[in-house]
Amino acid sequence: MNTFTEPTAVAQGNPALPLAGKKGLITGIANDKSIAFAVAKAVRALGADVALTYQNDKTAKYTQPLAESIGARLFEKLDVTQPGSLEAVIEKCGTEFGRLDFAIHSMAFCEADDLHGRVIDTSESGFDAAMNISCHSFLRMAKAIEPLMTEGGSLITMSYLGAERVVRNYGVMGIIKAALESAVRYMAYDLGPKGIRVFAVSPGPIMTRAASGIANFNKLLESDAVKAPLGHTVTIEEVGALTAFLCTAGSSGMTGQTIYVDAGAHIVA
């Protein structure tokens, strides 16, 4: 276990911060350009304590300095393809924090051939892997965290417009994200009585490590900026700020939604 015990200075200095005293788990940080890292910085700025995860020893050397830079309370290995890994991390969060108030699911995987090829050519093994890592892991996360959300909370995953419309070179991942957004609605229905709210955040195209695997992604960025009503592509900081808001009491009347953060591009055909 890697534990960082630096005091949460922002929360101690200003107890009026919206997330002061709140505890959260954030997965999916690969580097400082990751949406998940922007979320981590945003919730920390609002006073929350966080646990961060890394996928393997290779990525740890890039992500551990990021965890230290924001004073993460926990920094744990998480590989959802390994049985028990997700549940073990959440158990450690329970030991460290006593409860969880929010969790960010920012994990996705798809074989390159399945991402760029015809969806009808997707292999069974490729489909199963993409669905397991990108969608079912969110259900598993919710099941393991439910007992720790004793005061309600927010569960948030990351989607994309390809769940609703055909996006070239997004292939079977569009189908997986559509399933993920449907899961959000059903999870919101199941968990609502316990005060647990569930959301999908759908950012516009952003050049992250995951996005670099999409063919002609730069052209997608350019076209998105042209058609977006606000005239620009979004930044990871904008996505981080919106996601942090969904963890606060300000969003207490919301659940089951896919929320677009794309400068309005999704409304333009």
Side-chain angles (χ1 to χ4, degrees):
M1 178 188 300
N2 299 287
T3 303
F4 303 110
T5 56
E6 297 176 14
T8 310
V10 287
Q12 292 176 349
N14 185 357
L17 289 170
L19 292 177
K22 301 298 184 181
K23 320 293 183 183
L25 168 65
I26 301 175
T27 68
I29 297 177
N31 54 43
D32 63 348
K33 300 298 190 296
S34 296
I35 289 173
F37 184 54
V39 174
K41 290 191 294 182
V43 298
R44 285 288 288 139
L46 296 183
D49 284 319
V50 296
L52 305 184
T53 68
Y54 63 97
Q55 183 178 4
N56 52 50
D57 294 339
K58 182 178 179 180
T59 62
K61 64 181 180 181
Y62 300 107
T63 51
Q64 182 160 354
L66 301 178
E68 293 173 343
S69 73
I70 63 170
R73 288 270 293 273
L74 288 176
F75 179 65
E76 299 290 337
K77 184 176 181 179
L78 172 58
D79 182 348
V80 294
T81 66
Q82 297 300 310
S85 178
L86 176 60
E87 291 75 14
V89 168
I90 293 170
E91 183 178 355
K92 289 179 181 178
C93 288
T95 300
E96 177 69 19
F97 294 135
R99 71 173 197 276
L100 282 173
D101 302 291
F102 63 88
I104 312 301
H105 175 273
S106 185
M107 296 180 284
F109 171 82
C110 185
E111 295 286 358
D113 289 345
D114 297 331
L115 193 66
H116 303 143
R118 302 188 307 168
V119 295
I120 61 173
D121 294 328
T122 304
S123 66
E124 182 177 354
S125 61
F127 187 91
D128 288 348
M131 182 66 78
N132 180 45
I133 295 171
S134 310
C135 182
H136 189 253
S137 62
F138 190 41
L139 302 176
R140 287 174 53 204
M141 174 185 281
K143 182 176 178 62
I145 286 177
E146 181 183 8
L148 296 178
M149 286 193 161
T150 54
E151 300 177 18
S154 298
L155 296 170
I156 304 168
T157 189
M158 297 293 159
S159 189
Y160 180 57
L161 186 61
E164 180 182 338
R165 301 180 184 179
V166 173
V167 174
R168 290 179 181 176
N169 299 311
Y170 202 57
V172 74
M173 185 53 72
I175 298 172
I176 303 299
K177 291 294 188 182
L180 182 63
E181 291 187 7
S182 180
V184 164
R185 294 186 287 273
Y186 280 89
M187 291 165 65
Y189 179 80
D190 286 344
L191 297 172
K194 294 190 174 183
I196 300 173
R197 299 172 295 118
V198 191
F199 304 97
V201 171
S202 183
I206 299 174
M207 183 54 80
T208 61
R209 191 179 77 166
S212 65
I214 301 175
N216 299 315
F217 190 75
N218 285 331
K219 291 183 179 179
L220 185 62
L221 283 171
E222 293 170 3
S223 63
D224 197 72
V226 170
K227 74 176 184 179
L230 293 181
H232 65 85
T233 55
V234 294
T235 66
I236 57 172
E237 289 76 19
E238 289 173 315
V239 180
L242 180 279
T243 306
F245 166 74
L246 295 176
C247 299
T248 71
S251 62
S252 61
M254 304 166 59
T255 194
Q257 295 150 290
T258 295
I259 301 170
Y260 296 94
V261 192
D262 62 359
H266 72 281
I267 68 173
V268 181

